[in-house]
Amino acid sequence: RLQRALDRGDREEAISELRSVREALQNRRPSEDDIIDDDLLRFIENWRGLIDINTNLHTAIVPDHLHPAINTIVMDAVNDAVRHGQADWIEVKLDTQESEAVLTVSNNGQEPDPGVVGGMGAATLDRLASGGWKREVDALGLTRLTAKFSLH
């Protein structure tokens, strides 16, 4: 139904569908096996009081050894998006493919300064994202951070 609403350009129905999916996911009781980290989930819930933040982390299953890196990157990315970019919408997705996990943090904040190439955040990403990372701005003006992690 969401896709049909999007195809028709019916923004209100699409938002309504997103809300119903969000409510269903929020009411879901995750098992201990699929929780990334209780601290990270609390961090996200705290931000939900101030911004619109959506995530699929509660359904993602990745090896335990990746949890600290994912948690650190998500927390840094969300904090930076709000603090530096003044974002009021953030989406955090974690998907697994055959040999890697892909973390994507998208936001509607201001574009990063093109003159800023590195810094502590870049050094942290270099260290933690074993499969590499990139930050880009898409055609809609959304800033997207993608970090990849080897599953082996």
Side-chain angles (χ1 to χ4, degrees):
R1 292 186 303 192
L2 172 61
Q3 187 60 52
R4 285 191 302 260
L6 291 171
D7 291 344
R8 288 191 315 269
D10 188 342
R11 185 172 188 256
E12 293 303 316
E13 184 176 339
I15 290 171
S16 176
E17 288 300 321
L18 284 172
R19 284 188 181 125
S20 67
V21 169
R22 182 180 186 188
E23 286 174 22
L25 290 174
Q26 286 176 336
N27 292 330
R28 176 184 172 272
R29 296 291 306 161
S31 72
E32 289 184 19
D33 294 334
D34 64 5
I35 295 175
I36 291 293
D37 181 276
D38 288 338
D39 290 336
L40 178 59
L41 293 176
R42 275 193 296 277
F43 170 84
I44 290 170
E45 285 304 314
N46 288 338
W47 272 113
R48 281 195 174 126
L50 301 171
I51 63 171
D52 184 14
I53 184 168
N54 302 296
T55 179
N56 75 340
L57 292 178
H58 57 285
T59 62
I61 299 174
V62 296
D64 290 345
H65 73 274
L66 293 178
H67 294 193
I70 291 168
N71 294 348
T72 298
I73 291 172
V74 169
M75 289 181 184
D76 286 352
V78 170
N79 284 331
D80 287 350
V82 175
R83 189 174 68 229
H84 298 301
Q86 288 80 45
D88 63 4
W89 174 87
I90 298 174
E91 178 182 64
V92 179
K93 289 177 40 180
L94 182 61
D95 298 305
T96 54
Q97 299 167 357
E98 286 183 28
S99 62
E100 67 183 3
V102 179
L103 174 68
T104 307
V105 182
S106 304
N107 72 79
N108 69 344
Q110 297 172 4
E111 292 184 27
D113 182 355
V116 176
V117 176
M120 289 180 62
T124 299
L125 285 161
D126 287 341
R127 183 173 46 86
L128 297 177
S130 59
W133 67 275
K134 65 180 176 179
R135 184 181 65 194
E136 58 193 351
V137 178
D138 68 16
L140 298 173
L142 297 177
T143 300
R144 183 170 291 114
L145 170 68
T146 304
K148 296 181 179 183
F149 308 88
S150 173
L151 292 176
H152 305 291

